[in-house]
Amino acid sequence: MLRTDTVRQILSWYEGETPGLKSNLSRLLMHGRLAGTGRVVILPVDQGFEHGPARSFAPNPAAYDPHYLYELAIESGVSGYAAPLGLLEQGADTFAGEVPLILKLNSGNSLAEGAGDQALTGTVEDALRLGCVGVGFTIYPGSDHAYAMMEELREITLQAKSRGLMTVVWSYPRGGKVSKAGETGLDIIAYAAHMAALLGATIIKVKLPTDHVDLADARATYEKNPIPTATAADRVRHIMQASFAGKRIVVFSGGAAKNTDELLDEVRGIRDGGGNGSIIGRNSFQRSKADALKLLSDVMDLYA
């Protein structure tokens, strides 16, 4: 398929980037059922690190097998598959070139109480070896380790971009001045998305915001200025505005397991607010393959 005008416009927003990076971004945007639309749906499977194997895969035991996860990504026609090193290695030969890959370079685990940090579990060289289009990295704005994580991301971004790889930044605020409700508050999510853009993210991943405004210093600004917050589409529109006036690709987390109607309602809000798409993990691979394929098809139909 020839690159569409929509994709050409998106690539034009990434000024200062290398042809290699733009080629890999184009590979992602031109792959799968949403190819050429400027929308993306990504399958992420990093929950084994975050929550443990049983909490991640017991609802659908087939997903313990890394090949199953590759097959789900390929058969569903999602734009890309993101996972830690071991999962991508176990299948990289068998499925080489069949789906764009994103190597998640850092991970936390639920055995470490309140760490507010993640360990580096992969390298840019690993991503190149596996033929990935980019690398993923989590930051926790607000945590005690936020500055160190940002400095790690700076170095990884330099390595990745110099080799033509994209950076996908999971920007998940927590700790510091951020309350628990604030972790999905509109002002906090907008701040987190903007920080990811400032750090050079090619693609920004955030949670879908609520209408809660968390910081007292921000509340007056939101009340004084015309920032609509009533609907999910309004809130997504504000996140896109905070992401360089919509000139960065922003995808929204599928979050904890939920029923199909709830998930599709969220997708409609993302679509109507101008978001670029969804990154859906537990809500897909914890279902049977037939149910997951149907769900992902319905999600992509809404975006298409």
Side-chain angles (χ1 to χ4, degrees):
M1 183 187 294
L2 292 175
R3 188 180 293 165
T4 63
D5 289 341
T6 297
V7 172
R8 290 180 188 278
Q9 181 185 39
I10 291 171
L11 295 178
S12 75
W13 296 337
Y14 288 84
E15 298 181 75
E17 302 291 8
T18 65
L21 184 147
K22 290 188 176 185
S23 293
N24 276 320
L25 178 54
S26 180
R27 280 176 62 193
L28 186 80
L29 292 170
M30 293 300 299
H31 183 83
R33 287 190 54 194
L34 293 175
T37 64
R39 309 277 189 164
V40 295
V41 172
I42 297 170
L43 173 68
V45 189
D46 56 345
Q47 290 82 0
F49 258 131
E50 301 294 330
H51 305 297
R55 288 174 61 195
S56 300
F57 306 125
N60 176 29
Y64 281 111
D65 184 350
H67 278 210
Y68 173 88
L69 299 168
Y70 268 97
E71 290 165 358
L72 178 59
I74 293 162
E75 292 173 26
S76 64
V78 295
S79 310
Y81 170 42
L85 180 62
L87 279 183
L88 291 193
E89 285 183 328
Q90 189 65 21
D93 298 345
T94 303
F95 303 102
E98 295 193 51
V99 61
L101 302 177
I102 296 163
L103 176 59
K104 184 67 164 55
L105 291 188
N106 65 340
S107 298
N109 69 81
S110 58
L111 303 181
E113 182 93 29
D117 198 1
Q118 295 201 356
L120 291 172
T121 57
T123 68
V124 170
E125 286 71 22
D126 289 322
L128 289 168
R129 173 172 59 86
L130 295 171
C132 297
V133 297
V135 296
F137 193 89
T138 294
I139 58 170
Y140 293 142
S143 82
D144 291 345
H145 301 278
Y147 292 138
M149 297 181 90
M150 290 177 183
E151 289 170 359
E152 285 179 324
L153 177 58
R154 177 198 64 205
E155 295 303 316
I156 284 168
T157 298
L158 177 62
Q159 294 173 32
K161 290 187 175 185
S162 68
R163 292 160 174 81
L165 297 180
M166 302 184 302
T167 56
V168 184
V169 177
W170 278 239
S171 194
Y172 285 178
R174 61 187 60 181
K177 296 181 178 180
V178 182
S179 73
K180 187 63 180 176
E183 292 180 6
T184 53
L186 180 61
D187 60 321
I188 303 295
I189 296 296
Y191 202 163
H194 188 68
M195 276 194 269
L198 293 173
L199 285 161
T202 313
I203 297 175
I204 298 163
K205 179 191 176 189
V206 291
K207 296 180 180 180
L208 191 64
T210 67
D211 62 357
H212 172 73
V213 176
D214 201 51
L215 295 180
D217 291 344
R219 200 167 297 124
T221 300
Y222 277 80
E223 291 170 353
K224 181 179 178 180
N225 294 282
I227 301 174
T229 65
T231 68
D234 286 336
R235 299 189 290 273
V236 168
R237 200 169 290 115
H238 180 54
I239 303 308
M240 298 307 298
Q241 186 180 42
S243 304
F244 292 174
K247 291 185 176 179
R248 286 296 177 268
I249 295 171
V250 183
V251 294
F252 293 83
S253 170
K258 52 180 67 76
N259 67 47
T260 299
D261 289 342
E262 289 173 331
L263 184 64
L264 295 180
D265 280 345
E266 289 183 356
V267 168
R268 291 185 187 94
I270 295 165
R271 177 198 64 192
D272 295 347
N276 296 96
S278 296
I279 182 161
I280 301 174
R282 282 171 287 177
N283 282 289
S284 57
F285 66 73
Q286 288 187 344
R287 286 169 160 84
S288 70
K289 183 183 277 189
D291 288 346
L293 291 174
K294 175 66 166 62
L295 173 71
L296 291 168
S297 175
D298 290 345
V299 167
M300 289 184 277
D301 283 346
L302 289 175
Y303 282 128

